[in-house]
Amino acid sequence: MANRFGFPREWSAPTRYPDPAVEVVDRRFREYILGSSSLDRLYTGARWAEGPVWFGDGRYFLCSDIPNDRILRWDEVTEETTVWRKPSNNSNGHTRDRQGRLVSCEHGSRRVTRTEHDGTITTIMDSFEGKRLNAPNDIVVHPDGAIWFTDPGYGIHWNYEGNKAPFELPTRVYRVDPQTGDPTVVNESLEKPNGLCFSPDYSVLYIVDTGASHKPGHPREIHAFDVVDGTSLTNQRTFCDMGNTSTDGIRCDTDGNVWASAGWGDPNEDGVHVFAPDGTLIGKIHLPEGAANLCFGGVKRTRLFITASHSIYSIYVEAQGCPYV
């Protein structure tokens, strides 16, 4: 028997509109949802799906399957999922730079890389002050071309998602200068800096701290920082607390709402939580498994793609995702 969110469901069968998996918590969410759109499960068979990125010029979507050491490709035209790269050095987060190249965080090699247009791979950063990075996790690119990424070290905690090893550096957020390639530390106050995204005007950087994910009663927070001159962070504050669940990957839409994956807590909270710019929870999209990350794609950037444990899901929304965040 299905629960109030419509799970379990037969994914090949029609779903009644409106989809019970979409929950309005605050009336502000209503303008971003469609009564005639429902969840699609595009693929299942991953071990831990992560790091989604949309390639609009090719009409396809890439994501990591970290333990299986591969990158998957879902084609919007054929609706087929194939292996795009294997091995992938246990890649995790991905984004695209201003030249449209794939920029990736790799757990296995403990580095940040760029895939050139001819397919060759360039190492952007693998160490800091003579010590190896922990295991870069998630990544964004600023309009000035600078690469910002988090380094919480999940890829060296276990052999499952990388190669178990001791930490050589604190858990940090880095910025790589687009002209010189020199890295700087922009934050080291968070226990496990994880997902990150810029606000639409790039004046704010949101960063997830997953350090409390396995600590009952501890805050599970997204933090906000003001971005100073595109190079540093100030005015750290708590943007929101995820409550009985945790988040990992986040994205902003063009109105400044923060769309956050949800998992690792109450299973009734698994999916996506959406927060208004003031930090108020306004809506949820429920899934039958915990979500790790998400991104906007499709022709109009109004199709939300969600990587969730074993599967990839999508749903059309009326929100439009910010490009390159």
Side-chain angles (χ1 to χ4, degrees):
M1 180 179 294
N3 65 13
R4 62 191 179 96
F5 309 128
F7 305 124
R9 67 174 57 167
E10 174 54 57
W11 292 100
S12 61
T15 301
R16 183 183 182 277
Y17 292 142
D19 193 327
V22 180
E23 179 184 356
V24 175
V25 178
D26 181 291
R27 59 180 177 79
R28 285 175 285 180
F29 191 51
R30 294 191 182 279
E31 67 178 287
Y32 300 110
I33 61 174
L34 299 164
S36 56
S37 174
S38 61
L39 275 171
D40 295 315
R41 189 172 72 179
L42 306 178
Y43 171 82
T44 192
R47 290 193 184 277
W48 181 237
E50 250 279 21
V53 59
W54 174 252
F55 280 72
D57 44 350
R59 294 188 66 183
Y60 64 88
F61 159 94
L62 298 180
C63 74
S64 297
D65 182 1
I66 304 175
N68 280 328
D69 194 20
R70 61 184 183 172
I71 297 174
L72 299 175
R73 180 186 189 273
W74 179 81
D75 189 290
E76 188 179 37
V77 177
T78 65
E79 298 188 344
E80 293 180 348
T81 302
T82 56
V83 175
W84 185 76
R85 176 181 291 166
K86 182 178 176 67
S88 67
N89 289 318
N90 301 107
S91 66
N92 188 344
H94 304 283
T95 191
R96 299 181 77 186
D97 66 12
R98 263 42 195 182
Q99 290 73 47
R101 297 169 296 190
L102 179 70
V103 185
S104 305
C105 293
E106 297 180 359
H107 282 184
S109 61
R110 297 167 66 168
R111 64 178 181 166
V112 174
T113 65
R114 180 178 63 240
T115 301
E116 309 295 347
H117 291 303
D118 64 3
T120 59
I121 298 175
T122 300
T123 298
I124 294 171
M125 182 175 171
D126 60 5
S127 62
F128 185 77
E129 296 181 341
K131 298 179 180 180
R132 296 188 70 187
L133 295 177
N134 302 322
N137 191 282
D138 211 349
I139 192 162
V140 290
V141 175
H142 190 274
D144 66 7
I147 294 169
W148 299 61
F149 71 94
T150 57
D151 189 29
Y154 286 113
I156 59 174
H157 273 294
W158 317 280
N159 288 313
Y160 186 60
E161 295 186 16
N163 302 295
K164 188 174 182 179
F167 280 72
E168 298 180 30
L169 291 166
T171 56
R172 290 168 167 165
V173 183
Y174 294 92
R175 175 187 182 270
V176 180
D177 187 90
Q179 303 302 323
T180 66
D182 293 335
T184 54
V185 177
V186 292
N187 178 266
E188 55 183 1
S189 68
L190 303 179
E191 184 178 347
K192 288 289 186 184
N194 202 313
L196 73 172
C197 72
F198 286 106
S199 62
D201 62 0
Y202 292 86
S203 66
V204 176
L205 181 68
Y206 298 99
I207 308 176
V208 172
D209 188 352
T210 50
S213 294
H214 305 289
K215 300 176 182 178
H218 285 245
R220 303 177 179 192
E221 298 171 335
I222 300 174
H223 295 262
F225 300 79
D226 292 334
V227 181
V228 181
D229 299 326
T231 61
S232 61
L233 302 177
T234 189
N235 190 26
Q236 178 179 347
R237 66 262 187 202
T238 299
F239 172 69
C240 69
D241 184 341
M242 294 293 293
N244 294 326
T245 188
S246 297
T247 187
D248 189 334
I250 54 176
R251 293 291 189 277
C252 265
D253 65 28
T254 54
D255 287 337
N257 302 300
V258 176
W259 298 62
S261 64
W264 297 106
D266 182 348
N268 290 315
E269 300 296 323
D270 286 350
V272 176
H273 290 197
V274 185
F275 298 88
D278 63 5
T280 303
L281 177 67
I282 60 173
K284 301 177 184 180
I285 300 171
H286 294 274
L287 293 177
E289 51 189 328
N293 214 327
L294 47 83
C295 74
F296 289 92
V299 175
K300 302 176 182 178
R301 297 198 312 277
T302 56
R303 190 173 190 178
L304 184 68
F305 292 92
I306 310 161
T307 52
S309 303
H310 300 288
S311 309
I312 303 169
Y313 298 87
S314 78
I315 187 171
Y316 285 94
V317 294
E318 195 58 18
Q320 186 175 53
C322 295
Y324 299 106
V325 296

